[in-house]
Amino acid sequence: MSNNADLENRMASLKAYMDANHLKSTAQRDTIAEIFFKSNTHINLEELLTKARKKTAKIGHATVYRTMKLLIESGLAVPRQFGDGQTRYENLPRDGHHDHIICIKCSKITEFRNDEIEALQLESAKKLGFKVINHKLELYGYCNSCG
Amino acid sequence: MSNNADLENRMASLKAYMDANHLKSTAQRDTIAEIFFKSNTHINLEELLTKARKKTAKIGHATVYRTMKLLIESGLAVPRQFGDGQTRYENLPRDGHHDHIICIKCSKITEFRNDEIEALQLESAKKLGFKVINHKLELYGYCNSCG
DNA sequence: CCTTAATTGAAAATGAATATCAATTTCTTT
DNA sequence: AAAGAAATTGATATTCATTTTCAATTAAGG
């Protein structure tokens, strides 16, 4: 699946969600969603707003917040807080879930994935009577540049 | 080790940290620290403030924030954000680290621990050139009452 | 004690996120 | 294509958690 097809898939998912909820498609929403879907990093409000304003005439920050809330509700974005006071939005990778390693010195965020850990999580939860829907795993430490 | 000895241990650790940094011991600090060390849950500012004011005449909210910052710096408290906009402070259990399972319906927080997961985390990080200092693992799902 | 430096509370300031509201835009129905 | 209903928008005001400021107070060492 090409990046482009992936983008179109996500835009279509969003459209479907909006249709199902009597929500209207607007230039602002499309711009913000597209910028978000194209982002790889954990984008924050300011970045979204700056990029969106380059494409579409006038966009207020409230609209960015509102659009991101919509993307979260529709399951296309995940809000994350890494401790610096601002929410960042994660674009779910099409190849599935990943976790994060954050350098406590330079703040670099690296993604990783370990299926064995995922399996053990499900097992642990099951023992406690929990049905897991989602999870967050963050390792904090020093990257090899800062270590 | 009794609960009381444990409390005294922590108070002593704090004292040692303060001495080493030319910080003064005050009634407010002692009160807040003690309340925090005695707490089992993930206590937030409001709870700390309410309890502290019952013990010590006047305590401003700024002082609670300042004291918790001190406890974090000294490694005796860990700040956590579960997504409801406010920081909660976790008292490190004397028997070591634990992780959390959060019910997305009733918000109940259950603690668990799995050493196998911890080991795999270290291994994953090592492969990426990271030295892990700390980590957060949160599983979100439905508890057996809500599931 | 007495001096110095740290600490405190009250109030003001900051900053992220949300709510308000009149004006605008989309979508459906003629 | 035009109109009407309903949703959306941007600017502004607001909320709420947290931080800063600063004059007055207090702790600790000499």
Side-chain angles (χ1 to χ4, degrees):
Chain A
M1 182 165 53
S2 78
N3 272 331
N4 208 44
D6 183 53
L7 171 64
E8 279 172 34
N9 263 350
R10 292 175 201 228
M11 291 301 281
S13 294
L14 177 58
K15 186 80 171 56
Y17 180 84
M18 291 199 295
D19 284 351
N21 291 279
H22 310 289
L23 304 176
K24 294 173 180 173
S25 138
T26 68
Q28 290 91 334
R29 275 186 181 159
D30 290 351
T31 301
I32 296 164
E34 193 180 324
I35 287 168
F36 172 71
F37 290 144
K38 283 181 177 168
S39 76
N40 295 315
T41 58
H42 304 81
I43 200 165
N44 62 13
L45 187 98
E46 194 193 322
E47 291 174 88
L48 281 166
L49 190 58
T50 305
K51 291 187 180 178
R53 280 181 170 160
K54 283 183 185 159
K55 281 202 174 183
T56 298
K58 286 218 164 182
I59 293 191
H61 69 140
T63 298
V64 182
Y65 278 116
R66 288 188 280 231
T67 302
M68 291 318 294
K69 197 174 191 177
L70 172 62
L71 291 178
I72 292 165
E73 283 164 8
S74 67
L76 291 162
V78 177
R80 301 192 136 265
Q81 295 167 263
F82 291 111
D84 63 345
Q86 62 183 341
T87 299
R88 287 165 188 280
Y89 303 92
E90 181 172 321
N91 190 11
L92 285 183
R94 62 186 167 191
D95 57 351
H97 171 80
H98 65 253
D99 296 311
H100 299 95
I101 300 189
I102 299 110
C103 179
I104 56 181
K105 193 166 179 190
C106 73
S107 295
K108 187 173 75 170
I109 300 173
T110 303
E111 297 173 353
F112 75 100
R113 182 190 169 85
N114 183 318
D115 291 327
E116 222 177 320
I117 291 180
E118 316 262 317
L120 287 170
Q121 285 173 4
L122 294 180
E123 196 182 296
S124 281
K126 201 173 178 181
K127 280 183 196 160
L128 294 163
F130 262 83
K131 190 175 156 192
V132 175
I133 300 297
N134 195 356
H135 76 263
K136 296 183 184 177
L137 170 58
E138 287 149 30
L139 308 183
Y140 293 85
Y142 295 100
C143 71
N144 45 22
S145 306
C146 298
Chain B
M1 182 165 54
S2 78
N3 270 331
N4 207 45
D6 183 54
L7 170 64
E8 278 172 34
N9 263 350
R10 291 176 201 228
M11 291 301 282
S13 294
L14 177 58
K15 186 80 172 56
Y17 180 84
M18 290 199 295
D19 284 351
N21 291 280
H22 310 289
L23 304 176
K24 293 174 179 172
S25 138
T26 69
Q28 289 91 334
R29 275 185 182 160
D30 290 351
T31 299
I32 296 164
E34 193 180 322
I35 287 167
F36 171 71
F37 290 143
K38 283 182 178 169
S39 76
N40 295 314
T41 57
H42 305 82
I43 200 165
N44 63 12
L45 186 97
E46 194 193 321
E47 292 175 88
L48 282 166
L49 190 57
T50 304
K51 291 187 181 179
R53 281 181 170 160
K54 284 183 187 161
K55 281 202 176 183
T56 298
K58 286 219 163 181
I59 293 191
H61 68 140
T63 298
V64 182
Y65 278 116
R66 288 187 279 231
T67 302
M68 291 318 295
K69 198 175 192 176
L70 171 62
L71 291 178
I72 291 165
E73 284 163 10
S74 66
L76 291 163
V78 177
R80 301 193 136 266
Q81 294 166 265
F82 291 111
D84 63 346
Q86 64 184 339
T87 299
R88 287 166 189 280
Y89 303 93
E90 182 171 322
N91 190 11
L92 285 182
R94 61 185 169 195
D95 57 351
H97 171 80
H98 65 253
D99 295 312
H100 299 95
I101 300 189
I102 299 111
C103 178
I104 57 181
K105 193 166 180 191
C106 73
S107 294
K108 187 174 74 172
I109 301 174
T110 302
E111 296 173 353
F112 75 101
R113 180 190 171 84
N114 184 319
D115 291 326
E116 223 176 321
I117 292 180
E118 316 262 316
L120 287 170
Q121 286 172 3
L122 293 180
E123 198 183 296
S124 281
K126 201 172 179 181
K127 281 183 195 160
L128 294 163
F130 263 83
K131 189 175 157 191
V132 175
I133 300 296
N134 194 355
H135 77 263
K136 295 183 185 177
L137 170 59
E138 286 149 31
L139 308 183
Y140 293 85
Y142 295 101
C143 71
N144 44 22
S145 306
C146 298

